[in-house]
């Protein structure tokens, strides 16, 4: 019988299949089901500081209604203030009580102080670790890549200094040098790197000539991007490597482990096929390990990383020219 146990950021997991931050965590019964069908851990959807700020503005607008004509109207509700992140925090605490599987919180803040402030609050809910969802589209032409990276490091340093739980950083795939950013984060002792954040890309409706945003699930094709970078980073950083984007089957999960991933995060595949699909992925990994004669994940993890594979240049560009010329 194959053993799927592993650790992630120092936390023991019964297997490496982790539910990625998503709407799955919005209902406790779904989190329970994920635990029942065997998920190794679950990341709760992000606390978005931007959303709290928008709600606060709306709240203040509502309080101010009528105050033009009756200035004393603002004093009708003395001491009332917006609950900040309390709803999100209470819901994490409720989820924490309902399940035993390791839970990670996720944070997307917009102000330097916000990262530290909310990280502290999320830690207090009793989660096992924290994922920093550094989702931002760089639109300021005056800001250099170096400045953007420096901001990232300052966020990480601030949060690491503040919390005791392990901290993961969910990276964008758009840094000029992913390996350099990974190495810099590694120096700051992040506990895991999650590759990669999948940005929502709006499209344009031709008929209405307007922007259209929709959540499109990933496909297996998208696995190739994080797979390459996991393979390049394996055994070159201390941080654990988590893969996210495009894991749609047991085979995809095995690919990720062969590249060197410590855990596999899944969202689209279970939103599409249902949460019990986690057990299909786990069965497929086990069956493959049995067929290959592997007892533990360590027997083959990173076997096809750049460091260990027969053709290390395959992850760079050697095959590129050959493939282009063969078409
Ligand atoms: C409906 C939905 C909600 C998501 N919410 C979050 C979120 O709150 N925070 C976050 O970091 N990622 C979020 N993600 C991204 C996923 O965590 C994951 O990284 C991404 O979907 C790629 O994995 P996949 O190919 O398995 O879907 C969300 C994805 C989906 C589909």
């Amino acid at each position: 019988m194959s053993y799927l146990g592993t650790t992630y950021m120092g936390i023991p997991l019964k297997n490496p299949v982790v539910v990625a931050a998503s709407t799955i965590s919005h209902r406790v019964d779904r989190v329970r089901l994920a635990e029942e069908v065997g998920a190794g851990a679950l990341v709760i959807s992000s606390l978005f500081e931007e959303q709290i700020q928008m709600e606060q503005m709306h709240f203040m607008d509502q309080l101010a209604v009528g105050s033009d004509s009756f200035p004393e109207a603002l004093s009708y509700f003395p001491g009332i203030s917006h609950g900040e992140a309390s709803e999100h925090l209470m819901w994490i605490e409720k989820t924490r009580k309902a399940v035993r599987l390791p839970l990670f919180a996720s944070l997307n803040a917009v102000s330097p102080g916000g990262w530290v402030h909310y990280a502290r609050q999320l830690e207090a809910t009793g989660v096992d670790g924290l994922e920093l969802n550094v989702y931002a589209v760089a639109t300021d032409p005056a800001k250099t890549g170096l400045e953007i990276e420096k901001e990232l490091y300052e966020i990480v340093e601030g949060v690491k200094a503040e919390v005791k739980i392990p901290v993961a950083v969910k990276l964008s795939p758009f840094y000029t040098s992913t390996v350099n950013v990974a190495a810099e984060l590694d120096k700051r002792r992040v506990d895991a790197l999650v590759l990669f954040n999948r940005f929502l890309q709006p499209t344009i409706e031709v008929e209405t000539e307007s922007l259209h945003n929709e959540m499109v699930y990933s496909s297996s094709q998208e696995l190739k991007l994080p797979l390459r970078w996991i393979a390049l980073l394996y055994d070159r950083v201390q941080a654990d490597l988590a893969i996210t984007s495009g894991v749609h089957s047991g085979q995809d999960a095995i690919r990720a482990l062969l590249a060197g991933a410590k855990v596999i995060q899944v969202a689209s595949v279970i939103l599409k096929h249902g949460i019990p699909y986690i057990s299909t992925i786990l069965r497929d990994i086990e069956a493959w390990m049995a067929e290959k004669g592997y007892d533990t994940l360590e027997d083959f993890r990173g076997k096809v990383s750049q460091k260990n594979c027969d053709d290390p240049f395959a992850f760079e560009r050697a095959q590129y020219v050959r493939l282009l010329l063969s078409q």
Side-chain angles (χ1 to χ4, degrees):
M1 183 80 173
S2 321
Y3 174 66
L4 295 189
T6 189
T7 59
Y8 178 53
M9 302 206 270
I11 299 157
L13 308 192
K14 64 179 180 183
N15 68 66
V17 178
V18 173
V19 178
S22 68
T23 42
I24 300 280
S25 64
H26 288 186
R27 280 182 22 205
V28 172
D29 59 334
R30 293 175 121 201
V31 180
R32 262 203 211 104
L33 179 59
E35 180 172 48
E36 274 163 31
V37 299
L42 178 139
V43 187
I44 293 172
S45 70
S46 302
L47 169 64
F48 291 100
E49 184 184 14
E50 202 177 7
Q51 190 185 350
I52 295 169
Q53 287 176 343
M54 281 189 311
E55 284 171 9
Q56 277 171 334
M57 266 155 48
H58 181 67
F59 181 81
M60 293 315 288
D61 287 349
Q62 291 293 310
L63 271 190
V65 170
S67 62
D68 289 351
S69 27
F70 304 103
E72 67 276 19
L74 276 177
S75 63
Y76 289 170
F77 310 108
I80 289 190
S81 59
H82 182 268
E84 267 216 345
S86 53
E87 204 179 314
H88 189 91
L89 299 170
M90 272 158 52
W91 152 53
I92 298 183
E93 281 167 4
K94 191 172 160 197
T95 311
R96 177 63 294 169
K97 286 193 187 111
V99 290
R100 291 170 66 100
L101 89 168
L103 289 179
F104 300 98
S106 167
L107 173 61
N108 176 271
V110 283
S111 63
W115 284 100
V116 173
H117 173 70
Y118 292 113
R120 203 187 299 136
Q121 296 195 353
L122 288 167
E123 178 180 41
T125 62
V127 287
D128 298 276
L130 176 63
E131 194 173 278
L132 304 181
N133 167 16
V134 194
Y135 182 113
V137 181
T139 54
D140 180 356
K143 201 182 245 182
T144 67
L146 218 57
E147 286 170 317
I148 292 170
E149 287 167 20
K150 192 166 163 273
E151 277 176 13
L152 168 68
Y153 306 145
E154 283 169 3
I155 290 167
V156 170
E157 283 164 10
V159 172
K160 281 290 287 179
E162 193 63 31
V163 301
K164 292 195 176 63
I165 51 174
V167 175
V169 179
K170 194 171 189 180
L171 281 177
S172 151
F174 301 124
Y175 291 106
T176 307
S177 172
T178 299
V179 280
N180 176 258
V181 170
E184 286 296 324
L185 291 170
D186 206 41
K187 272 190 216 160
R188 287 158 177 89
R189 294 272 168 264
V190 297
D191 301 274
L193 297 167
V194 184
L195 278 61
F196 284 114
N197 221 330
R198 187 167 173 265
F199 292 166
L200 249 189
Q201 325 255 19
T203 187
I204 293 177
E205 284 278 359
V206 176
E207 193 51 43
T208 56
E209 300 173 33
S210 61
L211 267 188
H212 179 64
N213 263 310
E214 63 177 335
M215 175 59 83
V216 178
Y217 295 145
S218 69
S219 74
S220 215
Q221 279 300 313
E222 290 174 48
L223 179 68
K224 289 177 188 166
L225 178 72
L227 198 65
R228 162 185 269 180
W229 291 104
I230 295 273
L232 284 164
L233 286 171
Y234 175 74
D235 215 16
R236 296 203 156 95
V237 285
Q238 297 283 317
D240 285 343
L241 301 170
I243 199 161
T244 174
S245 284
V247 176
H248 278 255
S249 64
Q251 292 259 319
D252 286 343
I254 295 163
R255 289 184 178 104
L257 293 163
L258 282 167
K262 205 76 193 275
V263 300
I264 296 123
Q265 294 197 1
V266 288
S268 293
V269 69
I270 51 173
L271 286 164
K272 243 161 118 175
H273 300 300
I275 296 168
Y277 196 77
I278 290 172
S279 56
T280 307
I281 294 177
L282 290 170
R283 264 201 314 274
D284 288 351
I285 301 174
E286 263 176 345
W288 178 85
M289 284 172 69
E291 189 192 314
K292 294 279 183 178
Y294 293 134
D295 296 325
T296 73
L297 301 177
E298 296 318 316
D299 294 344
F300 67 96
R301 199 195 309 273
K303 194 172 173 186
V304 195
S305 61
Q306 191 195 34
K307 207 163 175 193
N308 294 334
C309 78
D310 304 336
D311 178 8
F313 296 108
F315 289 107
E316 295 173 19
R317 51 169 293 134
Q319 303 288 2
Y320 173 70
V321 179
R322 200 182 312 153
L323 274 175
L324 283 189
L325 296 179
S326 71
Q327 296 305 303

PDB file of all heavy atoms in Angstrom, residues 217-229:
ATOM      1  N   TYR A 217     -12.905  28.482 -15.816  1.00  0.00           N
ATOM      2  CA  TYR A 217     -12.071  27.483 -15.155  1.00  0.00           C
ATOM      3  C   TYR A 217     -10.818  27.206 -15.981  1.00  0.00           C
ATOM      4  O   TYR A 217     -10.815  27.360 -17.200  1.00  0.00           O
ATOM      5  CB  TYR A 217     -12.862  26.188 -14.938  1.00  0.00           C
ATOM      6  CG  TYR A 217     -14.017  26.343 -13.980  1.00  0.00           C
ATOM      7  CD1 TYR A 217     -15.196  25.648 -14.163  1.00  0.00           C
ATOM      8  CD2 TYR A 217     -13.919  27.198 -12.889  1.00  0.00           C
ATOM      9  CE1 TYR A 217     -16.256  25.797 -13.282  1.00  0.00           C
ATOM     10  CE2 TYR A 217     -14.973  27.358 -12.000  1.00  0.00           C
ATOM     11  CZ  TYR A 217     -16.138  26.652 -12.202  1.00  0.00           C
ATOM     12  OH  TYR A 217     -17.175  26.812 -11.345  1.00  0.00           O
ATOM     13  N   SER A 218      -9.787  26.738 -15.295  1.00  0.00           N
ATOM     14  CA  SER A 218      -8.529  26.443 -15.999  1.00  0.00           C
ATOM     15  C   SER A 218      -8.680  25.147 -16.796  1.00  0.00           C
ATOM     16  O   SER A 218      -9.659  24.423 -16.653  1.00  0.00           O
ATOM     17  CB  SER A 218      -7.403  26.270 -14.983  1.00  0.00           C
ATOM     18  OG  SER A 218      -7.592  25.078 -14.244  1.00  0.00           O
ATOM     19  N   SER A 219      -7.690  24.868 -17.615  1.00  0.00           N
ATOM     20  CA  SER A 219      -7.642  23.578 -18.305  1.00  0.00           C
ATOM     21  C   SER A 219      -6.287  22.954 -17.986  1.00  0.00           C
ATOM     22  O   SER A 219      -5.364  23.636 -17.527  1.00  0.00           O
ATOM     23  CB  SER A 219      -7.776  23.776 -19.814  1.00  0.00           C
ATOM     24  OG  SER A 219      -6.556  24.303 -20.305  1.00  0.00           O
ATOM     25  N   SER A 220      -6.183  21.686 -18.300  1.00  0.00           N
ATOM     26  CA  SER A 220      -4.953  20.933 -18.046  1.00  0.00           C
ATOM     27  C   SER A 220      -3.742  21.568 -18.751  1.00  0.00           C
ATOM     28  O   SER A 220      -2.612  21.456 -18.280  1.00  0.00           O
ATOM     29  CB  SER A 220      -5.179  19.527 -18.591  1.00  0.00           C
ATOM     30  OG  SER A 220      -4.549  18.587 -17.806  1.00  0.00           O
ATOM     31  N   GLN A 221      -4.003  22.221 -19.887  1.00  0.00           N
ATOM     32  CA  GLN A 221      -2.931  22.879 -20.657  1.00  0.00           C
ATOM     33  C   GLN A 221      -2.162  23.888 -19.815  1.00  0.00           C
ATOM     34  O   GLN A 221      -0.981  24.130 -20.022  1.00  0.00           O
ATOM     35  CB  GLN A 221      -3.538  23.622 -21.859  1.00  0.00           C
ATOM     36  CG  GLN A 221      -3.836  22.744 -23.047  1.00  0.00           C
ATOM     37  CD  GLN A 221      -2.583  22.062 -23.574  1.00  0.00           C
ATOM     38  OE1 GLN A 221      -1.554  22.693 -23.747  1.00  0.00           O
ATOM     39  NE2 GLN A 221      -2.670  20.751 -23.793  1.00  0.00           N
ATOM     40  N   GLU A 222      -2.890  24.519 -18.867  1.00  0.00           N
ATOM     41  CA  GLU A 222      -2.276  25.591 -18.061  1.00  0.00           C
ATOM     42  C   GLU A 222      -1.269  25.069 -17.048  1.00  0.00           C
ATOM     43  O   GLU A 222      -0.546  25.838 -16.426  1.00  0.00           O
ATOM     44  CB  GLU A 222      -3.367  26.402 -17.356  1.00  0.00           C
ATOM     45  CG  GLU A 222      -4.163  27.223 -18.333  1.00  0.00           C
ATOM     46  CD  GLU A 222      -5.347  27.930 -17.697  1.00  0.00           C
ATOM     47  OE1 GLU A 222      -5.182  28.570 -16.650  1.00  0.00           O
ATOM     48  OE2 GLU A 222      -6.450  27.820 -18.254  1.00  0.00           O
ATOM     49  N   LEU A 223      -1.236  23.741 -16.893  1.00  0.00           N
ATOM     50  CA  LEU A 223      -0.293  23.149 -15.938  1.00  0.00           C
ATOM     51  C   LEU A 223       1.161  23.365 -16.366  1.00  0.00           C
ATOM     52  O   LEU A 223       2.064  23.448 -15.532  1.00  0.00           O
ATOM     53  CB  LEU A 223      -0.584  21.647 -15.816  1.00  0.00           C
ATOM     54  CG  LEU A 223       0.326  20.857 -14.879  1.00  0.00           C
ATOM     55  CD1 LEU A 223       0.089  21.287 -13.430  1.00  0.00           C
ATOM     56  CD2 LEU A 223       0.087  19.368 -15.021  1.00  0.00           C
ATOM     57  N   LYS A 224       1.385  23.477 -17.677  1.00  0.00           N
ATOM     58  CA  LYS A 224       2.769  23.508 -18.171  1.00  0.00           C
ATOM     59  C   LYS A 224       3.571  24.683 -17.614  1.00  0.00           C
ATOM     60  O   LYS A 224       4.764  24.560 -17.379  1.00  0.00           O
ATOM     61  CB  LYS A 224       2.772  23.559 -19.701  1.00  0.00           C
ATOM     62  CG  LYS A 224       2.327  22.245 -20.305  1.00  0.00           C
ATOM     63  CD  LYS A 224       2.279  22.335 -21.794  1.00  0.00           C
ATOM     64  CE  LYS A 224       1.647  21.100 -22.385  1.00  0.00           C
ATOM     65  NZ  LYS A 224       1.282  21.282 -23.792  1.00  0.00           N
ATOM     66  N   LEU A 225       2.912  25.811 -17.430  1.00  0.00           N
ATOM     67  CA  LEU A 225       3.637  26.995 -16.923  1.00  0.00           C
ATOM     68  C   LEU A 225       4.173  26.760 -15.507  1.00  0.00           C
ATOM     69  O   LEU A 225       5.391  26.834 -15.288  1.00  0.00           O
ATOM     70  CB  LEU A 225       2.738  28.235 -17.005  1.00  0.00           C
ATOM     71  CG  LEU A 225       3.339  29.522 -16.464  1.00  0.00           C
ATOM     72  CD1 LEU A 225       4.426  30.066 -17.379  1.00  0.00           C
ATOM     73  CD2 LEU A 225       2.271  30.588 -16.276  1.00  0.00           C
ATOM     74  N   PRO A 226       3.303  26.443 -14.524  1.00  0.00           N
ATOM     75  CA  PRO A 226       3.875  26.219 -13.187  1.00  0.00           C
ATOM     76  C   PRO A 226       4.770  24.986 -13.124  1.00  0.00           C
ATOM     77  O   PRO A 226       5.739  24.960 -12.362  1.00  0.00           O
ATOM     78  CB  PRO A 226       2.645  26.053 -12.277  1.00  0.00           C
ATOM     79  CG  PRO A 226       1.521  25.727 -13.170  1.00  0.00           C
ATOM     80  CD  PRO A 226       1.819  26.372 -14.495  1.00  0.00           C
ATOM     81  N   LEU A 227       4.473  23.998 -13.957  1.00  0.00           N
ATOM     82  CA  LEU A 227       5.263  22.757 -13.948  1.00  0.00           C
ATOM     83  C   LEU A 227       6.731  23.049 -14.246  1.00  0.00           C
ATOM     84  O   LEU A 227       7.641  22.572 -13.577  1.00  0.00           O
ATOM     85  CB  LEU A 227       4.689  21.795 -14.999  1.00  0.00           C
ATOM     86  CG  LEU A 227       5.056  20.330 -14.876  1.00  0.00           C
ATOM     87  CD1 LEU A 227       4.495  19.730 -13.600  1.00  0.00           C
ATOM     88  CD2 LEU A 227       4.540  19.544 -16.076  1.00  0.00           C
ATOM     89  N   ARG A 228       6.959  23.880 -15.253  1.00  0.00           N
ATOM     90  CA  ARG A 228       8.339  24.238 -15.625  1.00  0.00           C
ATOM     91  C   ARG A 228       9.051  24.925 -14.462  1.00  0.00           C
ATOM     92  O   ARG A 228      10.186  24.601 -14.120  1.00  0.00           O
ATOM     93  CB  ARG A 228       8.333  25.174 -16.829  1.00  0.00           C
ATOM     94  CG  ARG A 228       9.650  25.899 -16.991  1.00  0.00           C
ATOM     95  CD  ARG A 228       9.631  26.903 -18.098  1.00  0.00           C
ATOM     96  NE  ARG A 228      10.070  26.291 -19.341  1.00  0.00           N
ATOM     97  CZ  ARG A 228      10.142  26.952 -20.492  1.00  0.00           C
ATOM     98  NH1 ARG A 228       9.769  28.200 -20.566  1.00  0.00           N
ATOM     99  NH2 ARG A 228      10.558  26.356 -21.576  1.00  0.00           N
ATOM    100  N   TRP A 229       8.359  25.875 -13.823  1.00  0.00           N
ATOM    101  CA  TRP A 229       9.028  26.658 -12.777  1.00  0.00           C
ATOM    102  C   TRP A 229       9.215  25.859 -11.496  1.00  0.00           C
ATOM    103  O   TRP A 229      10.180  26.060 -10.771  1.00  0.00           O
ATOM    104  CB  TRP A 229       8.277  27.987 -12.550  1.00  0.00           C
ATOM    105  CG  TRP A 229       8.449  28.857 -13.754  1.00  0.00           C
ATOM    106  CD1 TRP A 229       7.532  29.106 -14.727  1.00  0.00           C
ATOM    107  CD2 TRP A 229       9.653  29.528 -14.167  1.00  0.00           C
ATOM    108  NE1 TRP A 229       8.075  29.903 -15.706  1.00  0.00           N
ATOM    109  CE2 TRP A 229       9.375  30.177 -15.375  1.00  0.00           C
ATOM    110  CE3 TRP A 229      10.924  29.644 -13.611  1.00  0.00           C
ATOM    111  CZ2 TRP A 229      10.333  30.934 -16.058  1.00  0.00           C
ATOM    112  CZ3 TRP A 229      11.884  30.395 -14.284  1.00  0.00           C
ATOM    113  CH2 TRP A 229      11.571  31.028 -15.494  1.00  0.00           C
TER     114      TRP A 229
END
